[in-house]
Amino acid sequence: MKLKALCSELKQSIENNSKVILAMEAFVTTWAILRIGNLHAMNILAFFLFLVILIFFSAVERALSNIGGTTIKKQKVLSGFLAIIFTAFYLSDTQYTIVSDLNNQFFRLVILAVTAIGLYSFLYKGIWYLMYQLKQVTLADNKKGEKIIPYLPLLSFVFLVLCRIPWLLYSYPGIMTPDSINQFEQVLGMKPYSNHHPWLHTMTISLFYHIGTLFTSNVNEAFVFYTLFQICFMAFAVSYFIWIISKYIRSLPLLCGLIALYAFLPYHNIMAICIWKDVLFSGTVFLFCTSLFHLVKEGMKTKNILSVIIYFSSGFFMCLYRSNGWYAFMITIPFLLFVFRKQWKFMCPLHFFLLSLVLFVKGPVMDHYEVEQPDFVESLSIPLQQIGRLIATGQELELTPEHNILIDKVIDRTYIPQLYTEYISDNMKELVRANNSEYLFSHKNEYLKLWIELGLKYPEVYYDAYVAQTHGYYSPSITYSVADMDGIIDNDTGLYREYLIHGKVLLKSREILNKLQNIVPLYGALWSMGSLFWGTLLFLVLTLGQSYFSNSNTEIGHLDFITIWMPNIAIIGTLLIATPVATEFRYAYNLAYCLPLYFSIMLVSKNK
């Protein structure tokens, strides 16, 4: 009896302590949110925030007690992994803001540690709880919708094109920036061909422009043939996605909601008429990932020949419509070959032919047309920014005579303090080009050694320069313009803006739509590259988590899911290595186009 009473007392003590621990976790999380949100500790909202977090943590603990075995362990690992990397990346950008009111280094470290622990706890429990709740979601069939669903892809295509037309008429024949005009000048022969802006994209513009010239001699009217092609191509990508995903999701309201995202988000309408390589590139990545999902889900069957054709062609254009698309595809190749290992007799030759075709265009074809390739300096954005920050910030550098000689050989350092801009590398690259970029190229090993030695001596400056150059792609708290592109810059090509429709109501409506991102929560996250990136990873983790539940029947393995996500992860990875600018939304536009696909796969992953 005494032993039984002792055990009962011990159990009660553990339960009481667990409640205390839970309350402490809620307190630390509340503290972290106050610091991140810049709310004062005296704010009465902190008390209610603490209660809400405590109730939520208690609900998570109750849910955890209902599931056991290896399932919960695997899901804990997934939740913990994403929570750790998000916390690390988020604090790398916001750390100085969080402790800006503190001077003592020790207190700064304590506050950062508390914030990291609280943010991790909140994310860890939140991600796991999402997995738990998702397993109870069912996608009910909509019998009335079944009559409409077979026609939904076509209807979505027509609807999206119609949604873009008013924007085109307002900015006829399209939105043209300096990059766009440079490519059009190549089309007209005013400038030599260059692969700085992908040559194949320039040739795509040339193709549809010259088709237009068969019908009209007016430059604007001929050029709009390309803009209409781009509108139709991006609409086709969405209609193909709807066609594929409607095979597994029979909820008509959900499918219509996905279409609405593409139809009514203002930046989708603006991007559709903006003549940038990034738009078609994002569409090809979207088509590639959608067709990849279909082939992984259904396998290589004769009835899936359309998806095979789209898979091949979109993979080809993904490699050539943007320089980092080629690197992202090469990173994804090992995953693709493993996923399709059972169909290796077909898929190995397919990928070999695809890569051979890409290399043929990048080599002999571009050589034949004398296409100038980007210079070596173009790939050095981040190293140049790091060394530039050392000099620009007035850092007392301890340089050897050899270091000084190497730096002065390729750049005039007297201009760096006034030209260095922490979020864009163009000025640093132009300074090198204006001096002696050839010497830099011919002495790469010496400059690599210089970069490493200075990095080891001044790691904090390198770190700050790197974060400032890349934070836009992973920090959800960075704000920047997304959809304010408009008109056509002055040029000598004959292109000019025409207002085929105009008026104060239209102008004001556009202005309000673009401002809502700064006002409406959740909606605003769709305008942030950082939020889109973490949303992409969140859907991957939730998808993997769903597949671990014992009652989940799925034909797709865990590595298959990762492979479907890999192209977009690899694209962001390449940007984090060599991005020329920190806050250029179009560079990560592929995330905005692919996010509904990943959301849909997350729902499909738990249904056979």
Side-chain angles (χ1 to χ4, degrees), residues 423-468:
Y423 64 87
I424 186 169
S425 63
D426 285 359
N427 289 345
M428 291 299 298
K429 289 186 292 188
E430 290 306 318
L431 279 175
V432 173
R433 291 184 179 120
N435 284 271
N436 199 348
S437 59
E438 294 81 7
Y439 187 84
L440 173 62
F441 179 74
S442 60
H443 295 76
K444 293 190 291 290
N445 292 336
E446 295 174 44
Y447 283 96
L448 175 62
K449 181 181 177 183
L450 167 68
W451 177 64
I452 293 173
E453 288 176 352
L454 292 179
L456 293 174
K457 188 175 289 188
Y458 306 102
E460 185 176 348
V461 178
Y462 267 38
Y463 172 79
D464 289 341
Y466 178 80
V467 171

Side-chain angles (χ1 to χ4, degrees), residues 40-82:
H40 200 280
M42 294 179 181
N43 197 319
I44 188 61
L45 290 176
F47 174 72
F48 294 101
L49 181 62
F50 168 75
L51 288 180
V52 170
I53 292 172
L54 182 60
I55 293 169
F56 170 64
F57 281 7
S58 299
V60 174
E61 290 301 314
R62 286 195 299 272
L64 283 168
S65 64
N66 294 331
I67 303 175
T70 57
T71 295
I72 195 172
K73 292 180 181 178
K74 292 176 180 178
Q75 291 177 336
K76 281 183 174 181
V77 170
L78 285 171
S79 303
F81 173 73
L82 184 57

Side-chain angles (χ1 to χ4, degrees), residues 43 51 96 137 189 203-204 211 286 288 315 326 382 408 436 503 512 532:
N43 197 319
L51 288 180
Y96 296 117
V137 174
M203 291 299 95
T204 305
I211 290 174
F286 182 51
F288 182 80
W326 164 252
I382 290 175
D408 292 334
N436 199 348
I512 292 172
L532 291 171

Side-chain angles (χ1 to χ4, degrees), residues 179 271 276 278 322 423-424 472-473 480-482 485 529 575 579-589:
D179 289 354
M271 286 289 186
W276 278 335
D278 313 278
R322 215 167 69 184
Y423 64 87
I424 186 169
Y473 301 103
Y480 40 82
S481 62
V482 173
M485 301 81 69
M529 294 185 294
L575 288 171
T579 179
V581 60
T583 54
E584 191 65 65
F585 184 81
R586 61 187 173 115
Y587 288 173
Y589 184 51

